[in-house]
Amino acid sequence: EPEVTQTPSHQVTQMGQEVILRCVPISNHLYFYWYRQILGQKVEFLVSFYNNEISEKSEIFDDQFSVERPDGSNFTLKIRSTKLEDSAMYFCAISRDRDSPLHFGNGTRLTVT
Amino acid sequence: AQKITQTQPGMFVQEKEAVTLDCTYDTSDPSYGLFWYKQPSSGEMIFLIYQGSYDQQNATEGRYSLNFQKARKSANLVISASQLGDSAMYFCAMRVGSGGSNYKLTFGKGTLLTVNP
C-alpha cells in the first residue's frame, strides 16, 4: 500500500485554467514535497513544505504555483493559470523526518491543451 | 551545486543475471545521502535503497545493493538475479546537507533497464 495517494491520476485542462492536484498521506508525516517530471526528462524539485509553510522552492515554482494543507491532511498544489509547458507528471512526496527516505505518490499526469 | 550523472541511457541484461547501473555524484558538502528509485512504465516512483555519506557499510535491500565508493564519488546500484519485472527506468538521486536541510533531491537523467527472458 502506498504511503501517499494522489488524485486525480490524470487531468486534462485547457491553457489558462486553474488546476488543483491533491496528495493524501496515509499516516502522519512532517515533510511534504512536490516534484515534476516532464515526459522523457528527469525529475525536478518544485517545493518543500514543513510546519504549514514553504521551506524551500525552486525557480520553477513561480507565482502561478501555490501549496497548502487546508485541513491538516490533504496537501495540494495549485496552478493558477496553466500553460502548455506545465504538462508533466506531478509527484507528491513525503518523509517522516529529514533522515527518512522520501516516498513518492503514484503521480498525477497533467495535460494542458 | 550538486550534480548526479548517470552515463548509461539504456542497459540490457539477461534474466537471472546481475546488472550494475552506474551513478556518479558531485558535491562539496561532507554530509549527503544517495538514493535509487525505480520507475516502471506505469509511472510511479518506487524507493529502492539509500546510502548515507557517513555509512561505513554498503547498503543492501534484498536483491539490491549499493556499491558506494566515496573517494570516486560513485554509488552504483547492483541488481542480482534480474527478473522480468525489473525492467524499468532507474534514477539515482542525491540529498545534500543535514540539520536544517530539507529533502531537496537532485536526480540523474535515469537508466532504462530491459531484462530479456
Side-chain angles (χ1 to χ4, degrees), chain B:
Chain B
Q2 301 82 42
K3 188 176 180 181
I4 289 281
T5 302
Q6 294 179 256
T7 58
Q8 306 154 315
M11 287 283 286
F12 293 88
V13 65
Q14 287 297 122
E15 194 178 8
K16 299 181 184 177
E17 293 185 351
V19 62
T20 298
L21 306 184
D22 295 342
C23 173
T24 58
Y25 59 91
D26 188 24
T27 180
S28 57
D29 198 307
S31 177
Y32 52 88
L34 296 156
F35 303 78
W36 278 93
Y37 287 87
K38 173 184 177 182
Q39 186 177 42
S41 57
S42 51
E44 68 266 35
M45 293 285 285
I46 303 168
F47 166 73
L48 296 179
I49 197 167
Y50 166 79
Q51 179 86 44
S53 59
Y54 296 119
D55 293 344
Q56 294 298 312
Q57 294 187 331
N58 287 345
T60 60
E61 288 285 348
R63 293 187 298 111
Y64 304 108
S65 61
L66 203 151
N67 183 4
F68 181 45
Q69 298 188 41
K70 198 169 183 176
R72 299 177 65 178
K73 294 191 174 181
S74 72
N76 298 338
L77 176 71
V78 180
I79 305 174
S80 62
S82 298
Q83 302 171 355
L84 296 178
D86 293 335
S87 294
M89 182 72 86
Y90 288 81
F91 290 98
C92 180
M94 176 172 64
R95 167 185 62 84
V96 298
S98 60
S101 296
N102 290 289
Y103 243 120
K104 178 183 174 180
L105 292 182
T106 300
F107 282 80
K109 292 184 177 181
T111 295
L112 181 62
L113 177 66
T114 302
V115 181
N116 295 317

Side-chain angles (χ1 to χ4, degrees), chain A residues 33 35 37 42-43 45 55-56 91 95 97-102 104 106, chain B residues 35 37 39 43-45 47 91 95 99 101-105 107-109:
Chain A
Y33 310 82
Y35 286 78
Q37 184 183 30
K42 61 181 178 180
V43 181
F45 168 78
S55 48
E56 188 173 359
F91 290 103
S95 64
D97 53 54
R98 283 191 294 263
D99 297 319
S100 297
L102 200 63
F104 287 79
N106 288 343
Chain B
F35 303 78
Y37 287 87
Q39 186 177 42
E44 68 266 35
M45 293 285 285
F47 166 73
F91 290 98
R95 167 185 62 84
S101 296
N102 290 289
Y103 243 120
K104 178 183 174 180
L105 292 182
F107 282 80
K109 292 184 177 181

Side-chain angles (χ1 to χ4, degrees), chain A residues 29-46:
Chain A
H29 289 79
L30 296 177
Y31 298 86
F32 299 84
Y33 310 82
W34 284 101
Y35 286 78
R36 80 171 186 189
Q37 184 183 30
I38 295 173
L39 185 64
Q41 299 186 23
K42 61 181 178 180
V43 181
E44 301 173 293
F45 168 78
L46 291 179

Side-chain angles (χ1 to χ4, degrees), chain A residues 13-17 19 79-84 86 110 112:
Chain A
T13 189
Q14 288 190 327
M15 192 169 54
Q17 295 296 305
V19 295
I79 309 175
R80 289 188 182 83
S81 179
T82 52
K83 298 175 284 204
L84 294 176
D86 293 328
L110 176 66
V112 182

Side-chain angles (χ1 to χ4, degrees), chain A residues 57-68:
Chain A
K57 58 184 181 180
S58 71
E59 296 174 350
I60 303 168
F61 195 88
D62 60 22
D63 293 342
Q64 292 298 314
F65 292 88
S66 63
V67 290
E68 63 176 2

